[in-house]
Amino acid sequence: MKFVQIIDFETERLDEMQQLLQKAGESNAGRPGGPTHRMLLQDRDNPRRYMALIEFDSYEEAMSNSDNPETAKLAEQLGALCIGERVYTNCDVREMGPLK
């Protein structure tokens, strides 16, 4: 079953975060068990607030990815660019597809 992790955070340093994510994406390209898709949302009512939706093929692959030392290092670097704490929400994907 597909799995999505939602990371809710605030930052005024989005450009720096995106640079870190770009480098991580390049170094992890093609690595099995990593994220398959991502989406970044910005709150219109609070422009410092973002939600990152990270999709994995399964919960198990997401947890394996979380246990990777490179992922932990990246999370620490990204956390240093955030205002306050990040909130993580773990979701099983029950339905996905185009609207008819």
Side-chain angles (χ1 to χ4, degrees):
M1 175 181 296
K2 295 266 188 198
F3 175 82
V4 173
Q5 186 170 67
I6 302 169
I7 307 167
D8 190 331
F9 63 95
E10 289 191 19
T11 188
E12 293 177 340
R13 301 169 69 183
L14 185 63
D15 291 341
E16 293 172 71
M17 293 179 110
Q18 288 178 312
Q19 288 174 0
L20 283 172
L21 290 167
Q22 179 69 30
K23 288 179 188 175
E26 290 169 4
S27 67
N28 292 323
R31 183 177 60 122
T36 57
H37 295 88
R38 68 175 188 227
M39 181 183 296
L40 181 65
L41 308 173
Q42 183 177 21
D43 186 333
R44 283 183 160 261
D45 298 321
N46 176 0
R48 297 185 333 178
R49 181 178 177 223
Y50 298 88
M51 285 157 279
L53 286 69
I54 314 297
E55 181 183 311
F56 295 85
D57 282 332
S58 69
Y59 170 80
E60 292 76 20
E61 288 189 4
M63 294 304 103
S64 177
N65 183 70
S66 292
D67 290 339
N68 184 313
E70 288 184 31
T71 301
K73 180 180 175 184
L74 177 62
E76 184 179 321
Q77 292 172 323
L78 293 171
L81 300 174
C82 290
I83 299 166
E85 296 296 315
R86 294 159 288 168
V87 176
Y88 292 85
T89 304
N90 296 315
C91 304
D92 290 325
V93 177
R94 293 295 188 187
E95 186 176 332
M96 181 170 56
L99 298 175
K100 294 183 181 194

